[in-house]
Amino acid sequence: MVDIKRCFYTTIHSQTISSDGRFLFCGSNFGEILVYSIERITSSNDNGTIELEKLPTFPVQVFPVTERCAIYSLSFHKDFLIVGLNGEIWGYQWSSKSASIGKKVWVVRLPAPPETADMSEVNYMWLNAAEETLYAGCGDNIMYAVSLEDGKVVRDFRGHTDYIHCVDGCGSKLATASEDGLVMLWDSRQKQFTAKIEPHTKPLLQRPEFGRWQGTVSLTEDWFVCGGGPRFSLWHLRSLECTVDFNYSDRVHVSGFIDDVIYAGGDGPMLCQYNFNGDVTAEIPISGPSAYSVALQTSPYKIMAIAGASSQIDVCTNFTYRDIILNTYKK
């Protein structure tokens, strides 16, 4: 039995999926990682009289990482679960055979901010698996490139004046979204940013009641979307022109592309999907008041997991409606 407060005050800040596509990992505000079997989740929604502990909607493992901070960000590479914390990135051995997180096998310590003794949090991580490089957006306003071959910080990307909320990439192209209201575009081969976007300066995107901050950015070869306080919007990557402002009425925390569909979620009761003209194609209800992360894959199991300010995680197996709800803790 777990502390009852975990059932009512859980927030899932981050998610990731194992390299083989069989397991979902969720990082909580209590410093724990919850592990779910995607195979079990997607195999059947009718479990009859199966015991509570064996229901596929409960985690197969709850792994305590730290009591000093939330699990801000997660990633996965080969056989390692990668965890972003305060000023450090930890790598844990993962065993698919036993479906369990093993011992911590490596630690990357990020440079401490010179003006304070406090370590800045690793808010978001994006993995370039082909180059074995992890990009971490942090609370010290810097994005760090970490080589997973030797665990060393090989680059830092400076330009933001406030903490970074989100990092995304496509090949050598990178994008960051920050509390300072900027979306910055980068090339991993260059030291300086290649472009700087200020959505809050565009009259159509301004929402002064929500502020100027940018909570999310997602990137493809030709397009990117971003949002936060300003309206959620679609931009052409080469011309840097805003082509669509979406009718998402709340603050935006998460976004992405699924083939020819764009999704956005945040402080609202729905995760919304749009086409490139801005038309709504689906509205997926979520269990909590806010969505903070989305994890998805198309194979070997098709799944989209939506998590946020709730002890439940909403799962779509066809990407258009919610058909499964995962539970984090047993009451």
Side-chain angles (χ1 to χ4, degrees):
M1 194 65 64
V2 72
D3 188 338
I4 196 69
K5 72 178 182 180
R6 280 167 161 70
C7 299
F8 295 102
Y9 300 107
T10 294
T11 295
I12 301 297
H13 292 284
S14 54
Q15 299 181 88
T16 193
I17 295 175
S18 60
S19 298
D20 60 9
R22 295 174 54 213
F23 294 93
L24 172 70
F25 305 87
C26 303
S28 82
N29 57 320
F30 294 108
E32 297 176 326
I33 297 174
L34 301 103
V35 185
Y36 297 87
S37 168
I38 295 176
E39 184 177 21
R40 292 176 63 199
I41 292 168
T42 57
S43 63
S44 174
N45 295 339
D46 182 12
N47 298 283
T49 58
I50 194 169
E51 294 178 28
L52 182 66
E53 289 76 8
K54 296 180 181 179
L55 278 171
T57 56
F58 282 98
V60 297
Q61 184 184 17
V62 177
F63 184 79
V65 174
T66 178
E67 295 181 351
R68 60 186 176 90
C69 67
I71 307 298
Y72 300 115
S73 53
L74 291 171
S75 188
F76 202 98
H77 185 56
K78 295 182 177 178
D79 294 326
F80 295 99
L81 175 64
I82 303 171
V83 183
L85 301 166
N86 276 339
E88 295 181 340
I89 300 171
W90 296 356
Y92 284 90
Q93 187 73 53
W94 167 253
S95 171
S96 291
K97 186 176 181 179
S98 62
S100 62
I101 301 170
K103 63 180 181 179
K104 180 172 61 178
V105 290
W106 52 262
V107 175
V108 175
R109 292 181 174 84
L110 301 177
E115 67 278 4
T116 176
D118 296 331
M119 301 301 294
S120 61
E121 65 276 5
V122 180
N123 290 324
Y124 205 95
M125 296 187 293
W126 178 75
L127 173 67
N128 186 328
E131 297 182 0
E132 296 197 319
T133 302
L134 186 72
Y135 295 89
C138 298
D140 59 2
N141 319 336
I142 301 170
M143 176 174 64
Y144 296 95
V146 178
S147 169
L148 294 181
E149 291 184 326
D150 55 16
K152 294 181 179 179
V153 176
V154 293
R155 291 277 302 280
D156 60 47
F157 298 81
R158 299 172 183 261
H160 286 293
T161 59
D162 213 330
Y163 55 89
I164 296 173
H165 281 291
C166 185
V167 178
D168 196 31
C170 182
S172 65
K173 300 183 181 72
L174 300 164
T176 50
S178 169
E179 184 71 12
D180 62 14
L182 301 179
V183 171
M184 286 189 164
L185 303 177
W186 313 79
D187 189 307
S188 62
R189 300 162 296 188
Q190 299 179 28
K191 186 68 173 177
Q192 299 296 321
F193 59 85
T194 58
K196 181 171 65 174
I197 314 299
E198 301 178 90
H200 65 276
T201 63
K202 296 204 171 283
L204 284 176
L205 304 182
Q206 290 175 349
R207 297 192 295 184
E209 69 275 20
F210 291 149
R212 60 190 289 176
W213 57 277
Q214 288 294 309
T216 181
V217 62
S218 298
L219 192 66
T220 71
E221 282 286 351
D222 300 310
W223 304 92
F224 69 92
V225 289
C226 60
R231 289 170 65 90
F232 186 56
S233 53
L234 174 68
W235 299 69
H236 188 250
L237 193 57
R238 293 184 182 178
S239 66
L240 300 180
E241 292 293 326
C242 178
T243 61
V244 177
D245 59 294
F246 298 98
N247 186 26
Y248 188 89
S249 60
D250 294 288
R251 291 170 288 195
V252 188
H253 299 301
V254 63
S255 66
F257 293 87
I258 311 171
D259 297 326
D260 57 350
V261 173
I262 299 162
Y263 67 82
D267 294 344
M270 302 282 181
L271 183 90
C272 296
Q273 295 184 10
Y274 306 90
N275 62 25
F276 275 67
N277 293 323
D279 302 320
V280 176
T281 61
E283 292 181 322
I284 302 169
I286 61 174
S287 295
S290 299
Y292 294 140
S293 72
V294 171
L296 65 89
Q297 67 178 11
T298 56
S299 65
Y301 305 98
K302 189 173 183 179
I303 185 173
M304 171 193 281
I306 309 160
S310 173
S311 61
Q312 295 181 313
I313 300 159
D314 303 297
V315 170
C316 312
T317 56
N318 65 355
F319 295 174
T320 57
Y321 63 87
R322 178 182 65 183
D323 50 350
I324 303 169
I325 297 178
L326 306 182
N327 299 283
T328 51
Y329 301 100
K330 293 184 266 295
K331 296 181 182 180

